Amino acid sequence: MAVANNKTHCFTCNKEKITYPCRGCSKEFCLTHLTEHQQMLNEELNHIINDYDEFKQRINEQKQNPQNHSLIKQIDQWERKSIEIIQQKAQDCRENLVKSSQTYVNDIEKKFNDLCEQIKQIHAENEFNEINLNDLRNQLNKITEELNNSSNISIHQESQSFINEISIISSKKPKFNKWKQTANTVAAGNGQGQQLNQLNHPAGIFIDKNKNIFIADRDNHRIVEWKYNANEGQTIAGENKQGNRMHQLGRPTDVIVDEQNHSIVIADLGNRRVIQWMNQNQDVLVDSINCQGLAMNKNEFLYVSDSQRNEVIRWKMGDNEAIVVAGGNGQGNQRNQLDFPTFIFVDKDQAVYVSDFNNHRVMKWRKGAKKGKIVAGGNGEGRNLNQLCHSGGVVVDDLGQIYVADFGNHRVMRWCEGKKEGEIVVGGNGEGSQSSQLYGPCGLSFDDEGNLYVADCKNHRIQKFEIFL
């Protein structure tokens, strides 16, 4: 009886042997040369990994030195030839240029990180062939070309009677996030009350990295922590009645969490003080102040708005000296004045954004500035897209887009600095308690995924609007 011959020719040695196919190259190899072939693939993978490491280094260099851009020199030359009053415009252009460049590089870095995850998975599973390697190589070549062609940013210049105006133009448009127009109630929503599943006119809110919500439960005179996906909150400061003892609060309006030292800082409006709670111990940081809004930057500077003195002060944690960084020139609507400032936001450059409640506007005060700049509203009380009605919570994102709770219009607006009008982000469907409605929105906050949280004050609940991915 004949014996079946299952031998074929090895691609490498061309000898008739029992062979094994490679799905990547569709060739047959004997056991010895199959091992060699696999080793060659491993070496090629290591070369690609080295190329990826070099690419990552290039991205890091560009991120660490965003100011090293050839167009900065043109902006500097334009500034030197211009008169003193337009120097601020040059600085604005630098900031926009850096933001455009960073947006471009960040997008490429995201693609690169996705590729890194692919290569880690392939390397870990040890399941790959030439097709996989060619695909990795092509993807790397594609994003390398994108990085090399980053010259899609240019200067747009137009003639004016007093100066040649310049601005930054980038073909990489900033991403304007959008949110679902129906919200989920993530805290309370069980009517006005003082039970642990209820709130009473919530004001300021803070979202930590674990998506826990800290709420200034104003008319319950307490701070409530609402754990992620919990059905009720827990009181972590104050109690359900107003008082002026150290362990009591009076109509708190805002709260921030200092995650470095695991403490909370509270605007205790009814007691005219800013108080810090740490491990159930209390310490008055600022007293004799009609504190409405709070902000803290990475340098441990505490910012507090004073609605009686119509100013915002900056105070170094651990020191006793406070300086005025916005307002302080009496009640009014001039650029150096405020009228009942409430919520505030401080960016990485220590510019202060102030919700100027009775002037129906948001003001931006650069560090050291004597006057502010209107960046939202400022066209009188109203419901048009260039107006606000009693501005509430304010947050500014990494692109400089300004989000403001339009308290009297029951909506949240987004404004881009320099634009004449804003746009409705959520709400704007009249006052009400439906999932698409708000009633007196107050505090605003984002989590690390970009979901928007609103303290829906008169509905006594916290609403979460999920971001569209």
Short mmCIF file of all heavy atoms in Angstrom, two decimals, residues 374-395:
data_model
loop_
_atom_site.label_atom_id
_atom_site.label_comp_id
_atom_site.label_asym_id
_atom_site.label_seq_id
_atom_site.Cartn_x
_atom_site.Cartn_y
_atom_site.Cartn_z
N ILE A 374 -14.92 92.46 28.34
CA ILE A 374 -16.18 91.72 28.25
C ILE A 374 -15.99 90.55 27.28
O ILE A 374 -15.64 90.76 26.12
CB ILE A 374 -17.33 92.62 27.77
CG1 ILE A 374 -17.56 93.78 28.75
CG2 ILE A 374 -18.63 91.80 27.63
CD1 ILE A 374 -18.58 94.80 28.26
N VAL A 375 -16.21 89.33 27.75
CA VAL A 375 -16.03 88.16 26.90
C VAL A 375 -17.33 87.39 26.70
O VAL A 375 -17.36 86.42 25.92
CB VAL A 375 -14.93 87.22 27.46
CG1 VAL A 375 -13.57 87.87 27.37
CG2 VAL A 375 -15.24 86.81 28.90
N ALA A 376 -18.40 87.79 27.37
CA ALA A 376 -19.72 87.17 27.18
C ALA A 376 -20.77 88.15 27.65
O ALA A 376 -20.62 88.77 28.71
CB ALA A 376 -19.83 85.86 27.93
N GLY A 377 -21.85 88.30 26.88
CA GLY A 377 -22.91 89.22 27.25
C GLY A 377 -22.47 90.66 27.13
O GLY A 377 -21.75 91.04 26.21
N GLY A 378 -22.93 91.48 28.09
CA GLY A 378 -22.54 92.89 28.08
C GLY A 378 -23.41 93.75 27.19
O GLY A 378 -23.08 94.91 26.92
N ASN A 379 -24.54 93.22 26.74
CA ASN A 379 -25.46 93.98 25.88
C ASN A 379 -26.82 94.16 26.56
O ASN A 379 -27.85 94.17 25.91
CB ASN A 379 -25.63 93.27 24.53
CG ASN A 379 -24.32 93.22 23.75
OD1 ASN A 379 -23.79 94.25 23.35
ND2 ASN A 379 -23.80 92.03 23.55
N GLY A 380 -26.77 94.27 27.86
CA GLY A 380 -27.99 94.45 28.61
C GLY A 380 -28.70 93.13 28.87
O GLY A 380 -28.35 92.09 28.31
N GLU A 381 -29.66 93.17 29.76
CA GLU A 381 -30.42 91.96 30.10
C GLU A 381 -31.31 91.56 28.94
O GLU A 381 -32.00 92.39 28.35
CB GLU A 381 -31.27 92.22 31.35
CG GLU A 381 -32.12 91.05 31.78
CD GLU A 381 -32.98 91.38 32.99
OE1 GLU A 381 -32.81 92.47 33.56
OE2 GLU A 381 -33.81 90.53 33.37
N GLY A 382 -31.28 90.28 28.56
CA GLY A 382 -32.13 89.82 27.46
C GLY A 382 -31.85 88.38 27.12
O GLY A 382 -31.00 87.72 27.71
N ARG A 383 -32.60 87.87 26.13
CA ARG A 383 -32.50 86.46 25.75
C ARG A 383 -31.93 86.26 24.36
O ARG A 383 -31.89 85.14 23.86
CB ARG A 383 -33.86 85.80 25.85
CG ARG A 383 -34.91 86.35 24.90
CD ARG A 383 -36.23 85.61 25.06
NE ARG A 383 -36.75 85.72 26.42
CZ ARG A 383 -37.82 85.08 26.85
NH1 ARG A 383 -38.46 84.24 26.04
NH2 ARG A 383 -38.25 85.24 28.08
N ASN A 384 -31.47 87.34 23.72
CA ASN A 384 -30.83 87.19 22.42
C ASN A 384 -29.48 86.49 22.58
O ASN A 384 -28.94 86.38 23.69
CB ASN A 384 -30.64 88.55 21.75
CG ASN A 384 -31.97 89.21 21.41
OD1 ASN A 384 -32.92 88.53 21.04
ND2 ASN A 384 -32.03 90.53 21.53
N LEU A 385 -28.90 86.03 21.48
CA LEU A 385 -27.64 85.30 21.55
C LEU A 385 -26.47 86.18 21.94
O LEU A 385 -25.40 85.67 22.26
CB LEU A 385 -27.36 84.60 20.22
CG LEU A 385 -28.30 83.45 19.87
CD1 LEU A 385 -27.93 82.85 18.53
CD2 LEU A 385 -28.28 82.36 20.96
N ASN A 386 -26.63 87.50 21.92
CA ASN A 386 -25.56 88.39 22.38
C ASN A 386 -25.84 88.93 23.77
O ASN A 386 -25.20 89.87 24.22
CB ASN A 386 -25.36 89.55 21.40
CG ASN A 386 -26.55 90.51 21.37
OD1 ASN A 386 -27.66 90.16 21.78
ND2 ASN A 386 -26.32 91.71 20.87
N GLN A 387 -26.79 88.31 24.48
CA GLN A 387 -27.19 88.79 25.80
C GLN A 387 -27.20 87.65 26.82
O GLN A 387 -27.22 86.47 26.47
CB GLN A 387 -28.59 89.42 25.74
CG GLN A 387 -28.67 90.70 24.91
CD GLN A 387 -30.10 91.22 24.86
OE1 GLN A 387 -31.02 90.50 24.47
NE2 GLN A 387 -30.28 92.46 25.28
N LEU A 388 -27.19 88.04 28.08
CA LEU A 388 -27.38 87.14 29.20
C LEU A 388 -28.41 87.75 30.13
O LEU A 388 -28.68 88.96 30.07
CB LEU A 388 -26.07 86.92 29.96
CG LEU A 388 -24.91 86.25 29.21
CD1 LEU A 388 -23.62 86.34 30.02
CD2 LEU A 388 -25.24 84.79 28.90
N CYS A 389 -28.96 86.90 31.00
CA CYS A 389 -29.87 87.40 32.03
C CYS A 389 -29.39 86.86 33.37
O CYS A 389 -29.68 85.73 33.72
CB CYS A 389 -31.31 86.95 31.73
SG CYS A 389 -32.50 87.47 32.98
N HIS A 390 -28.60 87.67 34.08
CA HIS A 390 -28.02 87.30 35.36
C HIS A 390 -27.10 86.08 35.20
O HIS A 390 -27.51 84.93 35.39
CB HIS A 390 -29.09 87.04 36.42
CG HIS A 390 -29.91 88.25 36.76
ND1 HIS A 390 -29.36 89.38 37.29
CD2 HIS A 390 -31.24 88.50 36.60
CE1 HIS A 390 -30.31 90.29 37.49
NE2 HIS A 390 -31.45 89.79 37.07
N SER A 391 -25.87 86.34 34.85
CA SER A 391 -24.89 85.29 34.59
C SER A 391 -24.57 84.53 35.87
O SER A 391 -24.46 85.11 36.95
CB SER A 391 -23.61 85.90 34.01
OG SER A 391 -23.14 86.96 34.84
N GLY A 392 -24.42 83.21 35.74
CA GLY A 392 -24.12 82.35 36.87
C GLY A 392 -22.75 81.71 36.74
O GLY A 392 -21.75 82.37 36.46
N GLY A 393 -22.70 80.38 36.93
CA GLY A 393 -21.43 79.66 36.89
C GLY A 393 -20.67 79.86 35.59
O GLY A 393 -21.28 79.98 34.52
N VAL A 394 -19.35 79.90 35.67
CA VAL A 394 -18.52 80.11 34.48
C VAL A 394 -17.34 79.14 34.51
O VAL A 394 -16.71 78.94 35.54
CB VAL A 394 -18.03 81.58 34.40
CG1 VAL A 394 -17.23 81.98 35.63
CG2 VAL A 394 -17.21 81.81 33.13
N VAL A 395 -17.09 78.51 33.35
CA VAL A 395 -15.96 77.59 33.17
C VAL A 395 -15.34 77.89 31.81
O VAL A 395 -16.06 78.18 30.84
CB VAL A 395 -16.42 76.11 33.23
CG1 VAL A 395 -15.23 75.19 32.99
CG2 VAL A 395 -17.07 75.79 34.56
#
